[in-house]
Amino acid sequence: MKANRVLMMLVVLSVVTASVIAACGDVSEEVAEDPISIDGQVLLEERCTDCHSLGRVTGAEKTRDEWEDTVTRMVNLGARLNDEEQTALIDYLAQTYGP
Ligand code: HEC
């Protein structure tokens, strides 16, 4: 009788674990799709050229912190970027136009 209980517990535990792993799998699939919809290069070309040329941006060499400051300043000036787009663009700028 006792051994059966332990077995039951193990079965329940493994079912729970399996569904948690399955749920995590779903989440990472959703995250993996995001970079396609938010493309840093497209954002840069579409949103950062309203007021000055692209050369103003591509000629710069900044650390991630400096790009973060710059993008925040540009948003305050009127650049059209929501929070997610800012993060994606800052990542792209830091990778592409680093020091
Ligand atoms: C609403 C107009 C506007 C938009 C949109 C804009 N900028 Fe600017 N940007 C400016 C102005 C004005 C200056 C010069 C004054 C200054 O540096 O604050 C400038 C200067 C810059 C500079 C040179 C100064 C520095 O800090 O190195 C960089 C780099 C730059 N912008 C990057 C960007 C990026 C990246 C974007 C897209 C997120 C962007 N800008 C969008 C107005 C804009």
Side-chain angles (χ1 to χ4, degrees), residues 43-44 47-52 56-57 60 62 67 70-71 73-75 77-81 89 93:
L43 286 176
L44 174 65
R47 313 281 176 87
C48 302
T49 50
D50 287 351
C51 309
H52 46 68
R56 188 104 196 216
V57 183
K62 296 173 189 285
W67 277 122
T70 304
V71 170
R73 206 169 76 242
M74 296 306 139
V75 168
L77 287 170
R80 298 163 292 124
L81 294 165
L89 179 59
L93 288 169

Side-chain angles (χ1 to χ4, degrees), residues 3-68:
N4 273 346
R5 273 201 169 169
V6 171
L7 203 69
M8 269 297 280
M9 285 284 281
L10 282 176
V11 170
V12 169
L13 253 177
S14 55
V15 169
V16 169
T17 310
S19 46
V20 167
I21 290 168
C24 289
D26 286 349
V27 169
S28 61
E29 263 174 42
E30 276 169 31
V31 169
E33 283 168 14
D34 268 342
I36 300 165
S37 54
I38 306 182
D39 184 324
Q41 189 177 359
V42 172
L43 286 176
L44 174 65
E45 285 167 5
E46 287 183 353
R47 313 281 176 87
C48 302
T49 50
D50 287 351
C51 309
H52 46 68
S53 71
L54 203 58
R56 188 104 196 216
V57 183
T58 56
E61 292 179 347
K62 296 173 189 285
T63 63
R64 195 181 192 285
D65 279 357
E66 288 166 340
W67 277 122
E68 202 168 341

